[in-house]
Amino acid sequence: MKNWKSVAIAYGLPAVVLLGYWYSALTPVSIQSPEFWTNMFLYLVASAGLMNILDRTKADKVNKVTGAIIGISIVFVIGGMLLGSQIFRAKDYASLITHTEGNFEEDLTITDPAQIPTIDRDMAERLGSRKLGEVLNLVSQFDVSTEYTQIAYKGDSVRVSPLEYVSFFRWLNNRSDGIPHYVTVDMVTGDAELVELEKNIHYSHSGFFGDDITRHIFFNYPTVMFENPVFELDEEGNPYYIAPIVEKKFSFMGPKEVVGVFVVDASTGEISRYSVSDVPDWVDRVFPANMVMTQINYNGQYQGGYLNSVISKKGVIQNAQGYNYIVLNDDLYLYTGLTSVAADESNIGFVLVNSRTKESKRYNISTATEWSAMESAQGSVQEKGYISTFPLLFNMENKPVYQLSLKDDAGLIKMYAFVNATNYQKVGTGNSLAAAWNAYTGGVVSATEDEDEAEEIVETETISGAITAMESVVIGGETTYYFTLEGEAETIYVAKVSIDKQLPFIKAGDSVTIEVDGARVVSIIKE
């Protein structure tokens, strides 16, 4: 009896600890999961150690069995790693993603710079937080989640994010009702909207216990490996979480590949499972960016085999070590450049990868690297110390042109830039996309000169003062601001958000300098 009691304690106590950890860490019960093997090894070692402490006479026999299991498992895992490694499967790694030839002129021609999406995650967070602040009864209970998933929503490039519970106790107070809103931010116009739901969100990343979206999926499918669920909307604006299902390729310890998705109704918790070929068209985020970027590198490195990738490196290419997203034909595409591993400041092309299907188009256009363009744009306004966002490449006036934004230390977009992709010394910057494009096409590199040219066409005057009142409305899909200045209550100035993306952050009491044509604001600077 004593021996059995010792065995029960030695193996039962670590099992209880493991179950508690399993509930928290959500480790898949699958031989394809490295965490599963780690947990099993730790459990066996801890149990054997306890057995040695509790009953040495029985420990020798138990340790032999435990040691044999661990030894066989280690050999099994190492064998799986070798069978699935690049050394033996280089060509298979290269084929994880394949590229078809894209048509640069047809796919990426932009005629109106104002249609380029420039709102990044940082700016979207600020716009969304400000929108939540307009509803005072929500602020004490909820915050806006930092997810801000970029999706193609009704043909537009939009970032979406649900509200989240401020704390555990706020979750307790509100879990029966759920989360009543989510936020959308248009990446072109900067318009933010706080959307009220007919059916509130009950499963999210801010929920606890069974309300946590990852735990909810896991306990329905504990043996399935899946990636972090991301927030999306269907075409009717209903909230969902999308969790890519992954399996290991080539062996149980090989590279991960997406084989399907869980589509979870964030309101009801209903889970639908789809294969990659059957994913609904409105779903965008099936293939995670880090996986796509890794597979692009595999394709570029192992076309000539493993030895070529480490010795001669003939024809070996890699991604640009940075990416961005763009919406084309109501689909979301990942953009990244391609460069030779031996090149310093030149790309040999770029790829667009459909984030739902992983269909990849390669464009063989020789350009400067994205990082060179970023440094050039920063250098053109180096006295301001702005930091560049990762650019997108467009066909503008039959030439490849990078577009990027310049941000200050607080993460706010202060200026915009266009950089010639073949001659990255040619840069146009401005306080708006239109001003930056005019500066670029006019052959000048400063917004000031471009604005001086504008003054020759439009007669304007400059006024400074403190804003006494300010209101905004949406007209024709664009946010328009109406405000008055101190000492000029009879004049109502009108400013569209497109003239400066900082407008949403200007409020009553701020001192500004504005350039106006009558009552129409041409430019605005917060002092």
Side-chain angles (χ1 to χ4, degrees):
M1 178 65 70
K2 181 181 178 182
N3 289 343
W4 284 110
K5 185 177 180 180
S6 299
V7 172
I9 294 174
Y11 284 87
L13 184 59
V16 171
V17 175
L18 180 61
L19 285 173
Y21 175 77
W22 180 70
Y23 181 83
S24 174
L26 307 179
T27 302
V29 185
S30 169
I31 65 169
Q32 294 191 348
S33 168
E35 294 84 3
F36 170 80
W37 290 101
T38 301
N39 291 347
M40 188 186 74
F41 291 149
L42 291 175
Y43 169 73
L44 292 173
V45 170
S47 297
L50 274 178
M51 197 66 214
N52 276 314
I53 295 173
L54 296 172
D55 191 343
R56 284 186 174 276
T57 60
K58 200 168 185 65
D60 290 341
K61 184 182 293 185
V62 172
N63 287 347
K64 287 180 181 178
V65 175
T66 301
I69 294 174
I70 292 176
I72 293 171
S73 298
I74 289 175
V75 171
F76 188 56
V77 170
I78 292 175
M81 294 173 66
L82 288 175
L83 288 174
S85 72
Q86 297 97 314
I87 297 174
F88 301 108
R89 310 298 292 266
K91 291 290 187 179
D92 292 325
Y93 273 77
S95 65
L96 283 171
I97 190 170
T98 56
H99 311 299
T100 59
E101 186 174 351
N103 188 309
F104 185 52
E105 289 75 17
E106 289 183 3
D107 296 341
L108 287 166
T109 294
I110 294 289
T111 57
D112 182 6
Q115 297 305 310
I116 296 175
T118 59
I119 303 296
D120 64 356
R121 180 187 295 274
D122 291 339
M123 181 64 77
E125 286 186 23
R126 287 168 170 79
L127 293 170
S129 295
R130 176 171 177 173
K131 202 67 182 178
L132 178 63
E134 296 176 2
V135 186
L136 297 180
N137 65 315
L138 293 177
V139 175
S140 63
Q141 304 296 313
F142 301 97
D143 199 352
V144 183
S145 169
T146 57
E147 295 177 54
Y148 283 97
T149 312
Q150 184 173 345
I151 62 172
Y153 181 53
K154 297 181 179 179
D156 295 326
S157 185
V158 176
R159 286 192 180 271
V160 294
S161 196
L163 301 192
E164 63 180 7
Y165 302 107
V166 172
S167 66
F168 174 76
F169 295 104
R170 296 294 186 269
W171 168 74
L172 280 179
N173 293 337
N174 293 281
R175 71 177 297 263
S176 60
D177 294 328
I179 297 171
H181 299 80
Y182 61 78
V183 169
T184 66
V185 180
D186 190 300
M187 296 182 63
V188 175
T189 66
D191 290 337
E193 183 179 359
L194 185 66
V195 179
E196 184 173 1
L197 288 161
E198 293 183 5
K199 295 182 179 180
N200 290 357
I201 295 170
H202 290 276
Y203 298 89
S204 69
H205 287 296
S206 66
F208 290 84
F209 305 115
D211 289 354
D212 177 90
I213 184 64
T214 305
R215 185 169 287 108
H216 174 67
I217 300 172
F218 176 79
F219 278 104
N220 280 276
Y221 296 90
T223 63
V224 178
M225 295 193 302
F226 59 90
E227 298 292 284
N228 182 54
V230 295
F231 187 74
E232 284 202 41
L233 306 176
D234 67 10
E235 289 302 295
E236 287 72 46
N238 299 310
Y240 287 85
Y241 275 93
I242 311 300
I245 301 169
V246 296
E247 291 181 359
K248 296 297 183 71
K249 302 287 289 184
F250 318 141
S251 94
F252 71 97
M253 296 299 286
K256 289 190 295 187
E257 175 65 303
V258 174
V259 296
V261 294
F262 291 126
V263 177
V264 187
D265 188 315
S267 300
T268 66
E270 180 183 355
I271 302 174
S272 300
R273 183 172 181 172
Y274 298 93
S275 65
V276 169
S277 60
D278 295 328
V279 174
D281 289 343
W282 61 264
V283 174
D284 289 313
R285 306 300 287 265
V286 174
F287 289 87
N290 59 346
M291 183 183 296
V292 172
M293 293 288 281
T294 299
Q295 291 185 2
I296 290 171
N297 275 350
Y298 287 155
N299 181 267
Q301 291 172 353
Y302 299 127
Q303 291 290 338
Y306 179 78
L307 290 179
N308 178 70
S309 72
V310 296
I311 300 175
S312 61
K313 298 185 177 181
K314 183 178 179 181
V316 174
I317 60 177
Q318 63 186 5
N319 64 52
Q321 301 181 37
Y323 65 89
N324 209 331
Y325 281 107
I326 185 172
V327 171
L328 299 173
N329 301 319
D330 206 18
D331 274 329
L332 186 71
Y333 286 84
L334 178 144
Y335 161 87
T336 189
L338 298 175
T339 183
S340 168
V341 294
D344 292 326
E345 295 188 357
S346 63
N347 280 351
I348 62 173
F350 67 94
V351 292
L352 292 178
V353 183
N354 189 307
S355 61
R356 175 170 51 84
T357 65
K358 207 177 71 171
E359 173 193 2
S360 179
K361 295 181 180 181
R362 176 171 169 172
Y363 302 81
N364 296 314
I365 298 175
S366 180
T367 63
T369 66
E370 290 81 2
W371 299 99
S372 298
M374 292 162 66
E375 291 175 359
S376 183
Q378 291 168 184
S380 67
V381 289
Q382 58 183 338
E383 73 283 356
K384 301 181 183 297
Y386 293 157
I387 302 298
S388 171
T389 59
F390 195 82
L392 287 170
L393 185 65
F394 296 102
N395 178 48
M396 305 183 75
E397 295 188 349
N398 296 318
K399 294 182 183 296
V401 179
Y402 285 119
Q403 190 283 317
L404 45 83
S405 302
L406 295 164
K407 303 165 65 175
D408 63 12
D409 292 337
L412 299 176
I413 297 175
K414 292 296 186 180
M415 300 185 76
Y416 303 89
F418 289 93
V419 181
N420 188 300
T422 55
N423 175 19
Y424 62 90
Q425 298 300 321
K426 182 181 179 181
V427 183
T429 62
N431 294 327
S432 67
L433 281 171
W437 181 244
N438 286 337
Y440 176 85
T441 56
V444 293
V445 297
S446 74
T448 304
E449 292 178 24
D450 178 70
E451 290 162 0
D452 289 340
E453 290 178 7
E455 289 176 1
E456 296 175 5
I457 302 171
V458 180
E459 216 174 291
T460 62
E461 62 175 320
T462 301
I463 301 172
S464 298
I467 295 177
T468 55
M470 189 172 192
E471 297 292 339
S472 65
V473 296
V474 177
I475 300 175
E478 183 173 14
T479 302
T480 302
Y481 291 83
Y482 296 84
F483 61 90
T484 56
L485 295 180
E486 188 175 10
E488 296 187 20
E490 69 283 355
T491 303
I492 299 176
Y493 295 100
V494 182
K496 293 187 176 182
V497 72
S498 57
I499 70 165
D500 197 311
K501 290 298 192 298
Q502 305 309 309
L503 259 175
F505 304 102
I506 297 175
K507 57 185 183 300
D510 290 341
S511 295
V512 296
T513 298
I514 59 176
E515 190 176 358
V516 296
D517 172 22
R520 182 176 66 88
V521 178
V522 177
S523 69
I524 184 168
I525 299 174
K526 181 180 176 181
E527 296 179 352

